[in-house]
Amino acid sequence: AQKVTQAQTEISVVEKEDVTLDCVYETRDTTYYLFWYKQPPSGELVFLIRRNSFDEQNEISGRYSWNFQKSTSSFNFTITASQVVDSAVYFCALKASGNTPLVFGKGTRLSVIA
Amino acid sequence: KAGVTQTPRYLIKTRGQQVTLSCSPISGHRSVSWYQQTPGQGLQFLFEYFSETQRNKGNFPGRFSGRQFSNSRSEMNVSTLELGDSALYLCASSLNSGTNTYTDTQYFGPGTRLTVL
């Protein structure tokens, strides 16, 4: 069975601080996919990034970066120089290959204070 | 390209009633999945449809059902509503090649917020 743990329920930072959101996953599959989604107050889940289990390269996109480490089953997300617009709930998700559902963590609510 | 659309956005029903929610996927996407989001349980998978067939189902009672039409649009139905069905219902679509060897990214709609009184 697949499982995603986001141990941080809520994080509050002051604008311009860096913040890292943790994600730990469990799966027995050798082929799987990891995702991060952002959910602003409007409710829609916005796709941020996807990684497959064979690609451990870290990714940077503007102020966002992701660190994927299979050795620790982690896929952490860092926002550099946070902004108020980054305030949202962030979800990490896991999907094994084949007809399996996307499994979400409980989410981390990030509040960036001006 | 237009995103995933869901109608209605908000709905208020009373216990015992039934409700139908609609989802239009991104053009060209063939797979539609439904999720229920509540503060207590988080995001839970309801079911997935591909080519008008239910391909996967989550652990929900039979009161929750769905279908997909030939144009990939999907509906989900909840009968005999209970207070605990109050939630945000999210629909997601993916391109989905239909094979078991590749996973497409799911793109989500804005959701339908259902309140059961």
Side-chain angles (χ1 to χ4, degrees), chain A residues 80-94:
Chain A
T80 303
S82 60
Q83 300 176 1
V84 173
V85 293
D86 296 327
S87 296
V89 181
Y90 291 85
F91 290 93
C92 180
L94 165 69

Side-chain angles (χ1 to χ4, degrees), chain B residues 49-64:
Chain B
Y49 286 87
F50 177 78
S51 290
E52 302 178 65
T53 301
Q54 187 181 88
R55 194 160 63 171
N56 219 335
K57 189 177 190 305
N59 189 25
F60 278 82
R63 300 185 297 106
F64 291 81

Side-chain angles (χ1 to χ4, degrees), chain B residues 16-58:
Chain B
Q17 287 187 310
Q18 75 165 21
V19 67
T20 299
L21 311 182
S22 181
C23 171
S24 292
I26 292 171
S27 177
H29 283 196
R30 299 166 66 193
S31 172
V32 172
S33 298
W34 289 89
Y35 297 84
Q36 181 196 64
Q37 185 178 22
T38 59
Q41 299 299 317
L43 277 155
Q44 292 186 287
F45 171 74
L46 280 157
F47 26 65
E48 180 200 3
Y49 286 87
F50 177 78
S51 290
E52 302 178 65
T53 301
Q54 187 181 88
R55 194 160 63 171
N56 219 335
K57 189 177 190 305

